[in-house]
Amino acid sequence: MDSAVQTLPPASDLPPSIVSFLDDKFRTNENLSGAPTLLSELQSQCGDLDRTLIDLNRRLGSSLLTYASFSDRVHGLLGGINAQLAGLGSSTRSRTSDGEGNERAEKILGEELPALAKEVARVQSVRSYAETALKLQTMIGDIEDAVSSTMKKNSWKHSARQNSEEMRLGAIKTLKLIEDVLTSVTKTHPQWAHLVSTVDHRVDRALAVLRPHAIADHRALLTSLGWPPPLATLTSSTPDTGRSTEVLNPLFTMQGDLKDQYCENFLALCGLQELQRRRKSRQLEGYNRELALHQPLWVIEELVNPISLASQRHFTKWVDKPEFIFALVYKTTRDYVDSMDELLQPLVDEAMLTGYSCREEWISGMVSSLSTYLVKEIFPKYAGQPDEDSVTGTQSQARISWLHLIDLMISFDKRIKSLIENSGILLSLQDDGNFLKVSSLSVFSDRPDWLDLWAEIELNDILEKLKPDAGDERNWTMKVQGAALLSDTEDLKAPAICSAYLRCLSSVVDRCRSLPSISMRSRFLRLAGVPIIQNFLESLLVRCQEAEGLTALTDDDGLVKVANSINGARYIESVLKEWCEDVFFLEIWSGRSDQLGISVGDQSGNVESVEGLDSGIFHEEVVKLEAFRIEWAEKLSVVILRGFEAQSRDYMKNRRQWQEKSEDGWTVSRFLVGALDYLQGKISVVEIDLNGIDFVGVWRSLAARIDRLFFSGILMSNVKFSDSGVERLGSDLEVVFGAFRAWCMRPEGFFPKVSEGLKLLKMEEEKLRSSLARGEKWMKEKGIRNLSETEVEKIVKSRVFTS
């Protein structure tokens, strides 16, 4: 026994790793009993290593033979090239003077030299291919050996586990070198596609082992760290306050070897993912690579998945209390988000995994797990409630539950967005891809039928809320104070009901803003927003038709009702036009313009094609409102003209008055007084109640109609005008013009035909006679532009001069 002890070297001569290993295995005397077992295991491991070494030597020999064969082949090719070059030199030296040398030189330059250059290039290509293939073969062999050794490791041994991690990191480094070579080959030698494909296949087989093995080790480390931590216990009375028992963050509490192991494994996983991104980028060259390249961060996924599974055990108890679900997910997300920035982000940066934010990946992972649960468990139940409750007559309760769930989702998304922005990094959340990742409303992206159902419920709820306002007559007569737009100082005199409709439409737009993609916003706005405008327009049309049907708009109340309706249409139309200039609506319209082939469903469930793509999301509704305004403003002028015509019928029929002297004391014909009084009264009513913009159209249209009425009824009625008759007509028209003088400086300009007809009647006899001879030229000289030659001739012949 003593001699055996004396043969051992002193402890000071042993390497530190062996001393540490012995100290770890033989802490007490009781551990000595396990020495035989340890010895057999070490002998077994040494045997494995010996066999691995023998295999490596065999493969090295095979590689050397392969290289030797390639070298011999290249040497032979180079020898042939040297011989050809020597022959070329001798042939040029033996050039004769009889011209044969020149012919030989031309042949060499024209045929043999290009062939020789081609052969040299081919030899160089073969040599390069051989060297590249040998280099790749060597590296692939190293990787396969590392994968094999990693699979054979004994997980309970610290030194073996550390050695396995080092081998994995070495394998990842070698894989990156292989990827560098393949990237270079792909760019410089695209014809070597078979070589690249073969190497890719062998790398795929190695990665199929490395990644699951690395993930399994990572999960084991997370379990030893105590992840997932116990979930916070929220108080059921106030879930949104976030009051809960304090839970320590295992990522902050890990120390020593465990922390080092976690960091090494973390870096290995990040290295594998970065390698995967580079390979995908190379393989998808020339295609749209963004979707394939940006995948969730694997290390964050391994943190999110255990917490998601633990949370779902609580979710099942809160199906009827979804506010607890959102509160728990938000609090869990918030409690651990700082550790992502402080601990994990530096590791991701160290791994050179560009384009990833651990904070954003953690938040998007938690939101994605919530969305998945909503799709599987919550929405199928809520989506079926409206159909079930419609049978029992309690559809309102289902609608309330659905809208409450949507409110919770919108509120949750706003808090999540603020959580991201609190990091101080401005994220492009308006981009559809980024916004979808951090929004619980992304559940609608794959289920447009649920989006349609939400829009239908939202619309029905709004229309129910509008019924009391629409049924109150005061809202249609009382004006909105200061109903002028920012871009227009004109008071549009809009009725109060417009504010109610715009308030509801604004609420739909606000909810639409929460949707994470432009296509969903556009669809929701068409289904829930546009029908509100259509309902408003239908209400306006019904009111105008009722007024027209009752009194044919002959009374002032009917005129006021139509004027208020026109004001409402003008105000809503102006607001919609201003909205369409906002960036939010421009983005929606731009997105729809890129999808000309798709169709959207209207509120009746029908499908209509997208039209008017150059004028905004509300283009069709704006066009309908404008058409409504124009139609009913024209009806106002027609109704007033009809009454004026009836009042002036006796005046128009009195043909003798144009040859009689004016009545003493009268500046206007007696038969025209009543008609003028009616005209001024009706115009005053319309002016008071109609907005200024549309009132201008009404009085101008009315003036044009009166102009045609007087022209056809007087000047073209084959009457004869004496001097006194011309004077009477001039006085009457001056009074008619005066009725419109309050809105323009020269009202006669809006009565072009009668003004020019009166101008002709006032001309001297000689000038009128010359007009018949000179025709159109004379009309241009005298400024007659609105009458035809036939009309001028008829007016001239109606003039009677007294000698």
Side-chain angles (χ1 to χ4, degrees):
M1 185 70 180
D2 293 340
S3 62
V5 173
Q6 290 175 359
T7 59
L8 292 174
S12 59
D13 294 343
L14 293 175
S17 59
I18 295 179
V19 174
S20 175
F21 175 77
L22 294 175
D23 288 342
D24 184 55
K25 300 305 177 185
F26 301 105
R27 295 181 181 275
T28 63
N29 292 331
E30 288 77 6
N31 295 136
L32 294 174
S33 61
T37 303
L38 177 61
L39 177 61
S40 63
E41 290 178 352
L42 290 174
Q43 290 174 342
S44 175
Q45 186 177 4
C46 288
D48 291 339
L49 291 174
D50 289 338
R51 284 189 293 271
T52 301
L53 181 60
I54 293 171
D55 183 58
L56 285 174
N57 288 328
R58 180 184 58 77
R59 294 175 62 182
L60 177 61
S62 176
S63 298
L64 290 174
L65 288 175
T66 302
Y67 179 75
S69 64
F70 278 122
S71 179
D72 292 341
R73 182 181 177 189
V74 171
H75 180 72
L77 291 172
L78 291 175
I81 292 173
N82 287 330
Q84 291 184 28
L85 288 174
L88 176 62
S90 63
S91 64
T92 55
R93 285 193 299 269
S94 61
R95 180 182 306 170
T96 61
S97 60
D98 58 358
E100 295 181 0
N102 291 333
E103 294 178 1
R104 177 60 178 165
E106 290 178 0
K107 182 178 180 181
I108 292 172
L109 293 175
E111 299 178 7
E112 295 184 8
L113 271 181
L116 182 60
K118 185 176 181 180
E119 182 67 15
V120 171
R122 188 181 70 83
V123 170
Q124 183 62 32
S125 177
V126 170
R127 179 179 179 181
S128 177
Y129 183 90
E131 291 176 349
T132 303
L134 183 60
K135 183 178 181 180
L136 290 172
Q137 169 66 27
T138 303
M139 289 190 289
I140 286 290
D142 293 341
I143 291 171
E144 290 173 344
D145 292 339
V147 170
S148 177
S149 299
T150 301
M151 294 299 295
K152 294 178 181 179
K153 76 178 182 69
N154 294 312
S155 60
W156 64 270
K157 297 177 183 177
H158 172 75
S159 59
R161 181 170 59 244
Q162 184 177 9
N163 184 54
S164 174
E165 194 65 43
E166 292 175 354
M167 294 181 69
R168 180 185 297 135
L169 291 173
I172 294 173
K173 184 178 180 180
T174 304
L175 283 169
K176 290 182 178 179
L177 294 176
I178 292 176
E179 185 58 32
D180 290 339
V181 174
L182 292 180
T183 301
S184 176
V185 168
T186 302
K187 293 179 179 179
T188 58
H189 301 285
Q191 68 274 21
W192 295 357
H194 182 70
L195 174 64
V196 173
S197 175
T198 302
V199 175
D200 272 339
H201 178 67
R202 295 180 65 179
V203 169
D204 285 337
R205 287 193 302 178
L207 288 175
V209 176
L210 276 179
R211 181 187 172 187
H213 207 266
I215 289 176
D217 287 350
H218 193 77
R219 290 174 180 172
L221 281 171
L222 287 176
T223 302
S224 63
L225 287 173
W227 191 274
L231 295 178
T233 306
L234 297 174
T235 58
S236 59
S237 59
T238 57
D240 291 332
T241 62
R243 289 187 295 168
S244 63
T245 58
E246 291 296 329
V247 178
L248 295 177
N249 186 344
L251 297 179
F252 279 139
T253 58
M254 61 180 179
Q255 295 177 350
D257 292 341
L258 198 58
K259 182 175 182 179
D260 293 339
Q261 293 172 26
Y262 178 79
C263 292
E264 289 179 0
N265 194 270
F266 188 100
L267 290 172
L269 266 183
C270 288
L272 281 173
Q273 186 162 7
E274 173 60 17
L275 173 66
Q276 186 76 356
R277 287 184 63 190
R278 290 180 57 192
R279 298 183 74 239
K280 288 293 184 183
S281 178
R282 171 177 55 81
Q283 293 169 353
L284 296 176
E285 185 71 34
Y287 298 91
N288 187 2
R289 300 178 293 176
E290 292 302 320
L291 183 62
L293 292 183
H294 193 90
Q295 298 296 324
L297 199 56
W298 296 346
V299 286
I300 302 299
E301 276 189 322
E302 296 306 318
L303 294 174
V304 171
N305 291 339
I307 284 189
S308 175
L309 292 175
S311 299
Q312 289 183 15
R313 290 194 290 271
H314 296 276
F315 293 169
T316 55
K317 300 180 292 186
W318 297 337
V319 174
D320 296 326
K321 294 287 184 179
E323 57 269 21
F324 291 171
I325 296 176
F326 289 97
L328 178 59
V329 173
Y330 174 75
K331 189 176 189 309
T332 304
T333 305
R334 184 194 62 190
D335 286 348
Y336 300 104
V337 72
D338 290 337
S339 62
M340 305 298 153
D341 275 342
E342 299 174 17
L343 180 63
L344 303 186
Q345 187 62 47
L347 295 176
V348 171
D349 296 339
E350 182 181 347
M352 303 296 289
L353 193 55
T354 58
Y356 281 97
S357 164
C358 288
R359 185 185 192 93
E360 185 181 352
E361 290 296 320
W362 165 254
I363 292 174
S364 64
M366 293 298 295
V367 173
S368 178
S369 67
L370 171 64
S371 301
T372 301
Y373 185 80
L374 292 175
V375 169
K376 290 183 178 179
E377 303 296 338
I378 302 297
F379 267 94
K381 177 182 177 182
Y382 276 66
Q385 282 183 348
D387 295 334
E388 297 173 2
D389 293 345
S390 62
V391 179
T392 61
T394 59
Q395 192 170 0
S396 59
Q397 184 59 41
R399 187 163 61 232
I400 292 172
S401 299
W402 182 279
L403 295 178
H404 176 60
L405 176 62
I406 298 297
D407 289 337
L408 291 173
M409 296 173 72
I410 293 175
S411 175
F412 174 81
D413 286 353
K414 289 180 179 178
R415 298 169 74 187
I416 286 294
K417 184 178 179 182
S418 66
L419 199 61
I420 295 177
E421 294 173 346
N422 285 342
S423 64
I425 300 175
L426 295 178
L427 299 175
S428 57
L429 290 179
Q430 294 306 314
D431 179 72
D432 283 4
N434 288 335
F435 206 0
L436 277 169
K437 294 194 302 180
V438 294
S439 173
S440 60
L441 292 171
S442 60
V443 299
F444 294 116
S445 61
D446 295 326
R447 291 300 301 266
D449 55 323
W450 289 349
L451 183 64
D452 295 352
L453 180 58
W454 171 24
E456 179 185 350
I457 293 174
E458 196 80 42
L459 176 62
N460 291 336
D461 182 68
I462 287 175
L463 294 181
E464 285 294 325
K465 292 178 180 178
L466 280 172
K467 284 183 179 179
D469 292 327
D472 189 347
E473 186 63 27
R474 292 174 299 177
N475 289 329
W476 294 95
T477 56
M478 183 174 62
K479 301 294 189 296
V480 177
Q481 296 298 324
L485 301 174
L486 295 177
S487 61
D488 193 351
T489 58
E490 180 71 36
D491 184 6
L492 299 182
K493 301 180 181 180
I497 190 64
C498 294
S499 296
Y501 272 91
L502 283 178
R503 185 170 58 251
C504 293
L505 185 58
S506 296
S507 69
V508 171
V509 172
D510 289 339
R511 294 169 85 78
C512 173
R513 291 178 188 273
S514 302
L515 287 166
S517 75
I518 291 177
S519 60
M520 285 193 284
R521 293 173 209 152
S522 175
R523 187 179 186 90
F524 182 80
L525 203 55
R526 295 294 301 177
L527 294 176
V530 169
I532 297 175
I533 306 172
Q534 295 173 346
N535 181 268
F536 175 73
L537 182 58
E538 290 172 0
S539 300
L540 295 179
L541 185 60
V542 168
R543 292 181 61 80
C544 290
Q545 289 175 342
E546 287 178 351
E548 184 181 33
L550 289 174
T551 62
L553 302 181
T554 56
D555 64 332
D556 292 347
D557 290 340
L559 293 178
V560 170
K561 181 176 285 191
V562 172
N564 285 333
S565 298
I566 294 175
N567 293 341
R570 164 70 71 175
Y571 184 65
I572 297 295
E573 175 191 338
S574 302
V575 171
L576 294 179
K577 285 182 177 179
E578 283 201 354
W579 283 7
C580 288
E581 296 175 359
D582 184 80
V583 174
F584 173 74
F585 294 99
L586 289 176
E587 286 181 346
I588 291 179
W589 200 244
S590 175
R592 293 186 70 216
S593 299
D594 294 337
Q595 303 172 12
L596 288 173
I598 63 173
S599 299
V600 293
D602 60 16
Q603 74 278 12
S604 303
N606 300 321
V607 174
E608 56 182 13
S609 61
V610 178
E611 297 177 353
L613 289 172
D614 56 343
S615 305
I617 186 73
F618 298 117
H619 170 69
E620 294 179 16
E621 287 61 48
V622 167
V623 170
K624 292 176 182 178
L625 288 167
E626 184 178 5
F628 169 84
R629 282 192 305 99
I630 294 174
E631 177 186 355
W632 286 94
E634 285 292 316
K635 286 190 177 183
L636 287 179
S637 63
V638 169
V639 167
I640 296 174
L641 176 71
R642 190 183 300 128
F644 177 79
E645 184 178 4
Q647 294 286 335
S648 61
R649 186 173 291 114
D650 293 339
Y651 172 76
M652 304 288 286
K653 288 182 178 180
N654 188 358
R655 301 166 61 89
R656 296 178 56 187
Q657 62 181 327
W658 309 117
Q659 299 181 32
E660 298 175 350
K661 293 183 178 181
S662 300
E663 301 174 10
D664 295 336
W666 290 85
T667 58
V668 64
S669 299
R670 286 186 299 110
F671 296 110
L672 189 59
V673 172
L676 290 173
D677 183 62
Y678 171 86
L679 177 65
Q680 290 177 332
K682 293 299 182 182
I683 291 181
S684 297
V685 171
V686 175
E687 182 184 16
I688 292 172
D689 289 283
L690 188 62
N691 70 84
I693 301 174
D694 287 300
F695 176 69
V696 170
V698 170
W699 75 254
R700 287 184 176 181
S701 174
L702 181 59
R705 294 176 187 276
I706 293 176
D707 178 49
R708 290 194 293 270
L709 174 66
F710 273 37
F711 183 77
S712 60
I714 297 176
L715 295 178
M716 294 287 105
S717 61
N718 296 319
V719 299
K720 299 296 182 180
F721 290 93
S722 64
D723 292 341
S724 58
V726 172
E727 182 180 355
R728 179 194 292 267
L729 178 63
S731 299
D732 292 346
L733 290 179
E734 187 63 30
V735 175
V736 174
F737 296 161
F740 296 88
R741 200 173 299 279
W743 310 297
C744 62
M745 297 295 295
R746 294 184 64 257
E748 58 270 19
F750 296 95
F751 296 83
K753 285 185 172 291
V754 294
S755 294
E756 292 182 359
L758 181 62
K759 183 178 180 180
L760 287 172
L761 292 176
K762 287 182 178 181
M763 288 183 181
E764 299 175 357
E765 183 176 3
E766 293 180 1
K767 292 182 179 180
L768 288 180
R769 288 175 179 174
S770 64
S771 69
L772 296 177
R774 300 179 61 187
E776 185 176 353
K777 183 178 180 181
W778 179 88
M779 292 170 56
K780 290 182 179 179
E781 290 176 355
K782 299 301 179 180
I784 307 299
R785 297 182 177 84
N786 295 284
L787 301 179
S788 65
E789 289 188 46
T790 304
E791 291 171 339
V792 170
E793 182 180 356
K794 193 169 185 178
I795 292 174
V796 170
K797 290 182 178 180
S798 68
R799 183 70 165 91
V800 177
F801 292 95
T802 58
S803 56

